[in-house]
Amino acid sequence: MPEPDIFRALADPTRRAVFERLSAAEMTVSDLTRGFAVSQPAISQHLSVLKGAGMVAERREGRQAWYRAAPGALENLEAWVARYRTFWPERVDALKDVLKGMGE
């Protein structure tokens, strides 16, 4: 099961947008702030949540911090989705068998 922090992090549309932008390129907080209608401290808070969930990595270069999507950030989430992707067809097939048996 994926960490609950991943669901919490992805529940916010701004954090999803930040993660999507960082998946495309490494950026500073200033770079990220330019693309949103929120303050730099708000972007920093969103980055903190994403970092806490293991979804964003930070690299220091002098006084500047650079952020990027962490490699493998969504692996646990993908595994969780894959498990349920097979779960429901199996359940539907079992229900079909039960309904078919009731009709006979």
Side-chain angles (χ1 to χ4, degrees):
M1 181 168 172
E3 297 294 322
D5 290 346
I6 292 174
F7 289 115
R8 191 172 331 142
L10 293 175
D12 184 276
T14 301
R15 283 196 289 273
R16 283 195 307 271
V18 167
F19 182 75
E20 286 177 19
R21 289 189 67 195
L22 292 175
S23 296
E26 187 178 54
M27 296 181 181
T28 65
V29 174
S30 297
D31 294 335
L32 280 167
T33 303
R34 279 187 224 115
F36 293 97
V38 296
S39 67
Q40 186 168 330
I43 291 295
S44 293
Q45 286 184 334
H46 288 303
L47 281 170
S48 177
V49 172
L50 290 167
K51 281 176 30 182
M55 300 182 71
V56 169
E58 178 183 352
R59 173 180 68 84
R60 289 272 172 189
E61 188 175 297
R63 295 174 50 184
Q64 198 75 272
W66 292 83
Y67 299 93
R68 68 184 184 288
L74 300 178
E75 286 178 0
N76 286 343
L77 185 61
E78 289 173 4
W80 186 83
V81 169
R83 190 173 106 215
Y84 285 99
R85 190 175 291 135
T86 59
F87 172 80
W88 285 111
E90 291 172 5
R91 292 290 185 155
V92 170
D93 288 343
L95 178 61
K96 285 179 184 176
D97 291 342
V98 168
L99 293 174
K100 186 177 177 180
M102 292 173 68
E104 294 177 357

